[in-house]
Structure formats: C-alpha cells, structure tokens
Amino acid sequence: MSQVIEFWYEFASTYSYPAAMRIEDLACKQEITVEWKPFLLGPLLREQGFSTSPFNEQPVKGAYMWRDMERTCARLNLEFKRPDPFPQNGLHAARIATAIARNDEKAAFSRAVYLSEFAEGRSIADPDLLAELLARVTDDAAEILEKAASQQNKDLLKKNTSTASNCGFFGAPICRTPDGEIFWGNDRLEEAMDWALRCRES
Amino acid sequence: MSQVIEFWYEFASTYSYPAAMRIEDLACKQEITVEWKPFLLGPLLREQGFSTSPFNEQPVKGAYMWRDMERTCARLNLEFKRPDPFPQNGLHAARIATAIARNDEKAAFSRAVYLSEFAEGRSIADPDLLAELLARVTDDAAEILEKAASQQNKDLLKKNTSTASNCGFFGAPICRTPDGEIFWGNDRLEEAMDWALRCRES
C-alpha cells in the first residue's frame, strides 16, 4: 500500500522552491505519494506577530538566507534569481493551485510558478503569467481559472490555511505525515519520508 | 595540508548540542581540523531586536523546535532532556571554554557541558558543575578557572562575540570556512565540510 505525505507550501516562500522541485523524485523512490497542499503563510505570520516576511524583519538572518538559497540551488543545479519585490504576492497562484483537482497537474503548475518566480525572477502576481503557466500543464485551464475565482474556492484556501494554523505551522514548506508529525523546511524532506515509511510499517 | 573550519557555538543553543556532538567525527573523516569558537549569542540577538530566545518569543516555532530536537537527537542516538529554564545562562561556561588553550580540551569540555545541559537537564550556570566537568577533561583545571575569571579572558570572549556579530551571525551553531562563508545550524555541517574541502582544492 502506498503511503501519503502532505506537502504544504506557500508560493512566496524561498525554501519551498527547492523543496517543490525535488520532493517528487525523493517520494517516488520510496513509493510515497505526495499530496500537494498550497496554503497562505501570511495570515499565520500575522497571527504570530510579523507584518512581513521574517527575513525582511530580521535583515541579518535575511542576508544569510539569500546567500544560503544561492548555495542550496547551486547544489541542486537549480537556477536562482532573487525575486523583487520579496515576498511576492502568491494569493492568485495559491487560489489557482487550490482549484486544480488533479494532484499531478497541481504539482506541475506549482513547480512552474516556482521556476518563474525564483529561476526567472518574474512576478507571480501577474494573472497573464499564471494563465500561461496553467495552460502549459492542463487542458482545463479556462475551467480552472473560473473555479479559482469562485467564493467556494477562496473559502477552501482559507480553510486549508486555518488547518495549517491549527497544525502549528509557522513557516514553509512543511511535510506532514499520516500520524500528524510535521517537518519544516527543504532540509527535512528526507527525514519526513523516513518517518512516513515508519508509519507504513507500523 | 589539513583544512580548518571554525565551529562557533553558544552553550544555551539547542541545535549546537547535536552539532557539537557530531562535528569532530564528520571533520575527522575528511581530514578537516575543527577550531572551537565559543561566543555569546545573547548580545547579537539583543542587537537584532530580541529580548530572549527567538524560540520563546515565537512560541509556535518554539513548540516545533522542541519536537524537532527530540527527533534529531533520537536519530543521532543522543539523550535529550529539555532544559528548565530555557535558555540556560551559558556565560560562565563560555568564559571557561574561552580560557582553555588546547583545542581538544576545549572541545571535550564543551561536549561535556552540552551533555550535562541537554542530556541530563542540569544547570550549566552552576560553577561547581562546570569545575567538575573541567577537571574531567584537563589537568590544568585550577589554572584555567583562574584565567577564565580574568578581565583579559572576559575581554577576549567579548571580542570573539563582536567578531561573530561582524560576520553576520544571528544564531548558532555556525560553521565558518577559510574563505569567510558561513553555514548556520546542525543541518549545515556536511555542506560546510564540503565547502571547506573545495577551499583546500582551489
């Protein structure tokens, strides 16, 4: 029986980019299915006292993060360009990703958004860009865009964001295993997979 | 020729514990020499707007860190007990570590302090405990304790802490390679070693 791991990500989040680009390869090797779960980190950070990205509020840590991202992406052979402005507004992208029913299309769209944002330095708030990326990964782009703008879809993204808050999230990406353990960061993908496998065995 | 990596650590820092326990094994395999550099993180955090550990100021992140520390230590077969209070006052331990001239004794004393603090849950502010730990790792304990209390040694620790600030530190542990790159966290030890090796080759 295949094990499932939830991959929770925010489109503006820097370390979600390398994680999104490599998680399927990792999971595939261990016959784990990745369930892609877009959410909005902003509301959680505001609940926790931040008014912008912690990397902007703590500039010394922020400077480190940018250098670390350069090194991390270089190790993974991923292009990296620092987004300007940072953080990008990922609301529309998250709504579209939420509206995509098929998990493989959701994953492909999400990776395309991350590449546009962090490899090409494009604005992911741009609806034309998002429509173009969506059309590359699905034949149902028009339908999905209509659904993305619906109140029901907006409410679903809000509900997923509340779930993230209730699960104790404070950053992204986060992997969540079937027993409710959470693993924060691109650094924890391997450990999360190992944990998920132990869930399967027990 | 052996390459040197600087290992900067704060005694109250949770993730410095597993890093301190495993860095020599990692470095030894690659013929890298670890230079142990105790510093005080508190003054840097105060400069950066914190009044206590960020894990206390951000309790949602703090809760995650404690769980993550349990898992991290379990994976490394290290005992783990949450210190109370947290953060511990590591000033005296840092002064003693600064006063130890021999790098191997500094490393052994530092590991002993971390084990007392994070495996046994003892108070590392206790001068008797620190004297006992020091006596276990060196024949020069009395001399080192006297030196630790000297103004010259206190000034040296302050100077090292200023260096840490000037190098852009914001947390611990941090590995610093000969070319000035910094790598934050127990998660980055391997990458720091790889980087140091590249410095040697170039």
Side-chain angles (χ1 to χ4, degrees):
Chain A
M1 192 192 86
S2 174
Q3 189 58 280
V4 172
I5 205 164
E6 295 174 357
F7 176 62
W8 293 76
Y9 56 103
E10 147 70 51
F11 281 107
S13 151
T14 49
Y15 289 105
S16 293
Y17 162 48
M21 299 309 292
R22 72 193 190 92
I23 192 168
E24 288 287 0
D25 278 352
L26 273 180
C28 183
K29 283 179 195 149
Q30 317 219 40
E31 296 179 30
I32 291 171
T33 302
V34 180
E35 192 178 329
W36 290 66
K37 306 280 278 185
F39 77 108
L40 299 178
L41 183 55
L44 276 64
L45 291 177
R46 279 191 290 279
E47 282 171 12
Q48 293 166 29
F50 291 96
S51 57
T52 176
S53 165
F55 293 124
N56 288 344
E57 294 206 2
Q58 299 162 28
V60 180
K61 190 174 188 173
Y64 173 81
M65 179 277 287
W66 292 116
R67 178 64 185 138
D68 190 53
M69 274 294 292
E70 285 177 356
R71 290 189 309 229
T72 297
C73 291
R75 279 169 77 93
L76 296 168
N77 289 316
L78 289 172
E79 293 290 320
F80 177 67
K81 199 174 268 185
R82 180 173 168 170
D84 181 21
F86 174 81
Q88 290 276 300
N89 185 335
L91 175 63
H92 286 299
R95 282 182 178 160
I96 293 171
T98 301
I100 300 173
R102 283 181 48 174
N103 191 55
D104 60 339
E105 291 182 352
K106 197 182 297 232
F109 172 75
S110 299
R111 284 190 297 265
V113 172
Y114 281 120
L115 284 172
S116 290
E117 179 181 21
F118 290 110
E120 297 171 21
R122 298 181 71 179
S123 168
I124 62 161
D126 176 4
D128 293 340
L129 171 65
L130 296 174
E132 181 195 320
L133 299 176
L134 184 63
R136 273 192 226 158
V137 301
T138 176
D139 295 329
D140 307 320
E143 191 186 324
I144 289 167
L145 285 177
E146 192 182 332
K147 185 177 163 197
S150 71
Q151 193 57 48
Q152 192 181 4
N153 186 67
K154 292 177 186 177
D155 289 345
L156 178 56
L157 177 57
K158 275 186 199 164
K159 192 183 145 210
N160 291 341
T161 296
S162 292
T163 299
S165 175
N166 294 336
C167 290
F169 293 10
F170 54 90
I174 287 199
C175 289
R176 189 163 173 269
T177 52
D179 59 347
E181 288 281 330
I182 64 173
F183 297 84
W184 172 49
N186 175 51
D187 295 327
R188 286 287 180 283
L189 297 192
E190 286 81 358
E191 190 177 339
M193 299 289 160
D194 290 348
W195 197 277
L197 289 179
R198 280 169 47 187
C199 293
R200 178 161 59 189
E201 284 156 13
S202 63
Chain B
M1 192 193 85
S2 173
Q3 189 56 280
V4 171
I5 205 165
E6 294 173 358
F7 176 62
W8 292 75
Y9 56 103
E10 148 71 51
F11 280 107
S13 150
T14 49
Y15 289 105
S16 293
Y17 162 49
M21 299 309 292
R22 72 192 189 91
I23 191 168
E24 288 287 0
D25 278 353
L26 273 181
C28 184
K29 282 179 198 150
Q30 317 219 42
E31 296 179 30
I32 291 170
T33 301
V34 180
E35 192 178 328
W36 289 66
K37 306 279 278 184
F39 77 108
L40 299 177
L41 183 56
L44 277 63
L45 291 177
R46 279 191 290 278
E47 282 171 12
Q48 292 165 30
F50 291 96
S51 57
T52 175
S53 164
F55 293 123
N56 289 343
E57 293 205 3
Q58 299 163 28
V60 180
K61 189 174 189 175
Y64 172 82
M65 180 276 289
W66 292 116
R67 178 65 184 137
D68 189 54
M69 272 295 292
E70 285 176 357
R71 292 189 309 230
T72 297
C73 290
R75 279 168 78 92
L76 296 169
N77 289 315
L78 290 172
E79 293 290 320
F80 177 68
K81 198 173 270 185
R82 180 173 168 172
D84 180 22
F86 174 82
Q88 290 276 301
N89 184 335
L91 176 62
H92 286 298
R95 282 181 178 161
I96 293 171
T98 301
I100 299 173
R102 282 181 49 174
N103 192 54
D104 59 340
E105 290 182 353
K106 197 182 296 230
F109 172 74
S110 299
R111 284 190 296 265
V113 171
Y114 280 121
L115 284 171
S116 290
E117 179 181 20
F118 290 109
E120 298 172 22
R122 298 180 72 179
S123 166
I124 62 160
D126 176 4
D128 293 340
L129 171 65
L130 297 175
E132 181 196 320
L133 298 176
L134 185 63
R136 272 193 227 159
V137 302
T138 176
D139 295 329
D140 306 321
E143 192 186 324
I144 289 167
L145 285 178
E146 192 182 332
K147 185 177 162 197
S150 71
Q151 192 57 48
Q152 193 182 3
N153 186 67
K154 292 177 185 175
D155 289 346
L156 178 57
L157 177 57
K158 276 187 199 164
K159 192 183 146 212
N160 291 342
T161 297
S162 292
T163 300
S165 175
N166 294 336
C167 290
F169 293 10
F170 54 90
I174 288 201
C175 288
R176 189 163 174 269
T177 52
D179 59 347
E181 288 281 329
I182 64 174
F183 297 84
W184 173 49
N186 176 51
D187 295 328
R188 286 287 181 283
L189 297 192
E190 286 80 359
E191 189 176 339
M193 300 288 160
D194 290 349
W195 197 277
L197 289 179
R198 280 168 47 188
C199 291
R200 179 162 58 190
E201 285 156 12
S202 63

